[in-house]
Amino acid sequence: MRSINDLLCDLRAAAPPRAAELTADQLERLRCLTRELLELKPQSLAEYRRFESVRSRGIELPRQELAARLEGATILVTGGTGCIGRILLKQLLPHRPARLVSMSRGRTALPRIDGVEFVYGDVRYRSSLDEVFAEIRPDVVFHVAAQRNPGLAEVEVLRTVATNVFGTRNVLQAAARSGTGTVVCASTGKALRPYSPDVYAASKRIGEWILARTAASSEIRLAASRFTHVVDNSIIGDRLRAWCAKDEPVRLHSADIGFYIQSAQESAQLLLCGLLDAQPGNLRLNALRDLDWPASLLEVALGAIAHSGSSAPVYIAGYDSGYEEQAFPGLYDPMTAGDVSPLINVFEAIGAKAAASEQVDMFIPDVLGDDEGALRALAALESVCVPALTGEPDPAVVRQKLDDLSWALLDATVVQIPAQSRARAVRLAERSVATLPEQHPHHRLLSTLRP
């Protein structure tokens, strides 16, 4: 019997990456190789079951402290009709808020939740948002509404930037005008990257910067939670189940991917933890400390095939737009990795501390001393986005302005990092980056980090 490495080499060679369609011969070859892989990886079914079982995972929170903050409060949840938003609403209800309102721009056929008001609102539009805030006058806002699909973000560039960047700013401004005391926002683990060429990751990184800037100059208590791959609304899981049901090719970016996973329940509880940690003057960012061992994409896919009894073949299709093939290798230090959440990078980990839950790490982002270049880049991005909400500017122009802002924000960020920490990150990354093409953005990132 051949080795797994030999089989994976054959699997990659059986069909070219990014093929729009596969021939009958290619499909048959992939099916044969997939059957062999299933025989060599019997543990894949257990990996798929582990992936699915994460849905039941949760964290412990101090209930008395939550009750003190939530009982009798008026609470607004943006994006409350989404997976995490609905779970958050259900977790808020037992704390007896005076009023609990879900705001969403989408029409949904999902059952209504007793005790929750549902209103229409779009965070992209400041005037309609102000109307909602003026009528509700929330004490607490959980801002969950976002464009979260990395692949779709590369297609809907304007909508993503308008939602994740300017939508976040609009919520903060509306909260300030209506006298809101606390705002807690949903972010992503991808925002730990000091720079990313991907629209989704870049937009959320910029959103965190806007939050930190606002916290430093406002009396509003601000916090944010970084989520990783949420199993309950998993894009990967949905695709796997659909492909298996139709015996269609299971398209994987790579056979070597491992990814962290968490539940929607943990995500909602992280936001509640952020509520308890939020203080005026500084943004508090949190993430789960122990995310267990990363899930193997290949084994989860094989497990889904085995679980469903499907004859779907595995196809190594290559990376789609929006999914960075390799994160910057200097973001984790082997000396400290494992001590803090993997969603907190090596520079942020310096100031990591315990949060309101013992299962959560929290850190306070540095306030940037000189971010005038980033502010100018933000204004340039706004000039092509906001007037165009009713039209459609060239996505390439929006993407370029977003990238300009990402680099400007990196320039402002690295000067806050101690020279010794930057030097160590450079040493950790140099060898890997040297193997990449000269035009790869990691070369510029490495150069920017050099003390």
Side-chain angles (χ1 to χ4, degrees):
M1 185 175 287
R2 290 182 297 163
S3 71
I4 290 175
N5 284 338
D6 288 341
L7 273 174
L8 292 177
C9 287
D10 288 349
L11 195 69
R12 296 184 187 98
R18 298 182 182 84
E21 293 185 18
L22 300 174
T23 68
D25 288 345
Q26 288 170 338
L27 287 170
E28 182 56 33
R29 177 65 173 152
L30 291 173
R31 284 194 173 93
C32 290
L33 293 168
T34 300
R35 286 194 293 270
E36 289 187 65
L37 275 172
L38 282 166
E39 291 179 8
L40 284 178
K41 283 185 168 289
Q43 73 273 20
S44 60
L45 184 56
E47 181 73 340
Y48 176 71
R49 287 172 175 162
R50 180 173 78 94
F51 175 82
E52 289 291 326
S53 70
V54 166
R55 296 171 188 267
S56 62
R57 210 167 64 186
I59 62 177
E60 293 294 325
L61 292 169
R63 295 190 63 82
Q64 288 186 338
E65 291 181 37
L66 276 175
R69 296 293 298 273
L70 296 172
E71 187 172 353
T74 298
I75 305 171
L76 173 65
V77 177
T78 73
T81 54
C83 173
I84 295 169
R86 289 181 69 82
I87 289 178
L88 177 61
L89 290 169
K90 291 176 181 178
Q91 294 201 359
L92 289 168
L93 276 171
H95 295 289
R96 298 186 295 181
R99 189 178 181 189
L100 182 55
V101 183
S102 166
M103 187 192 82
S104 177
R105 73 179 180 213
R107 307 297 187 204
T108 177
L110 292 171
R112 297 289 170 152
I113 301 172
D114 290 343
V116 178
E117 301 173 46
F118 289 84
V119 301
Y120 174 81
D122 192 329
V123 299
R124 296 176 298 168
Y125 299 97
R126 190 169 60 186
S127 58
S128 64
L129 197 61
D130 281 343
E131 291 177 9
V132 171
F133 272 73
E135 190 278 320
I136 297 170
R137 304 195 70 80
D139 302 304
V140 176
V141 173
F142 291 97
H143 176 40
V144 187
Q147 162 61 273
R148 69 172 188 88
N149 185 321
L152 192 58
E154 298 296 318
V155 178
E156 297 183 349
V157 181
L158 172 63
R159 186 170 183 172
T160 301
V161 172
T163 302
N164 294 355
V165 176
F166 297 111
T168 297
R169 190 183 65 178
N170 289 342
V171 167
L172 295 176
Q173 291 176 344
R177 284 190 284 267
S178 65
T180 299
T182 306
V183 178
V184 184
C185 298
S187 188
T188 174
K190 292 180 183 293
L192 68 83
R193 304 172 185 178
Y195 166 82
S196 174
D198 300 332
V199 172
Y200 170 71
S203 68
K204 297 298 277 186
R205 168 77 179 94
I206 292 164
E208 286 189 358
W209 166 60
I210 291 172
L211 285 168
R213 262 195 128 262
T214 303
S217 59
S218 169
E219 290 301 312
I220 300 177
R221 298 168 181 256
L222 286 175
S225 300
R226 284 181 178 171
F227 305 155
T228 188
H229 193 96
V230 178
V231 172
D232 306 66
N233 62 358
S234 167
I235 296 170
I236 290 173
D238 290 344
R239 288 176 176 175
L240 286 177
R241 287 184 285 272
W243 287 327
C244 287
K246 298 179 181 179
D247 292 331
E248 293 179 346
V250 172
R251 303 173 68 94
L252 305 184
H253 293 153
S254 167
D256 306 316
I257 293 175
F259 60 104
Y260 291 104
I261 50 180
Q262 68 184 70
S263 70
Q265 180 174 231
E266 287 173 317
S267 305
Q269 290 165 338
L270 267 177
L271 294 169
L272 293 174
C273 184
L275 170 73
L276 297 179
D277 287 324
Q279 296 293 331
N282 296 102
L283 174 67
R284 263 69 171 173
L285 261 163
N286 69 21
L288 286 175
R289 177 177 302 149
D290 184 6
L291 287 163
D292 203 354
W293 194 253
S296 162
L297 178 59
L298 175 63
E299 291 186 6
V300 169
L302 290 171
I305 293 170
H307 176 77
S308 63
S310 173
S311 62
V314 169
Y315 165 47
I316 308 301
Y319 283 81
D320 293 336
S321 180
Y323 294 86
E324 194 172 6
E325 186 169 346
Q326 179 183 343
F328 185 71
L331 293 183
Y332 299 102
D333 189 332
M335 292 180 63
T336 57
D339 294 339
V340 297
S341 170
L343 305 186
I344 296 175
N345 73 37
V346 64
F347 309 123
E348 299 162 341
I350 297 170
K353 58 190 72 177
S357 168
E358 294 181 354
Q359 295 159 274
V360 177
D361 285 318
M362 181 267 290
F363 73 97
I364 299 173
D366 289 328
V367 178
L368 304 184
D370 183 8
D371 58 0
E372 288 302 315
L375 288 172
R376 289 192 296 271
L378 178 65
L381 177 63
E382 183 175 19
S383 70
V384 298
C385 287
V386 174
L389 283 176
T390 56
E392 195 65 37
D394 183 352
V397 174
V398 179
R399 187 188 301 274
Q400 183 58 59
K401 297 294 184 184
L402 179 70
D403 200 57
D404 292 343
L405 174 51
S406 294
W407 285 117
L409 186 55
L410 174 66
D411 290 337
T413 301
V414 295
V415 297
Q416 304 294 113
I417 301 171
Q420 185 176 1
S421 298
R422 290 164 58 186
R424 179 164 175 79
V426 168
R427 287 196 300 273
L428 290 169
E430 278 179 321
R431 183 174 297 179
S432 296
V433 173
T435 65
L436 298 174
E438 289 186 9
Q439 67 273 20
H440 197 285
H442 285 180
H443 285 285
R444 182 173 172 182
L445 178 51
L446 189 66
S447 177
T448 305
L449 280 171
R450 293 187 194 279

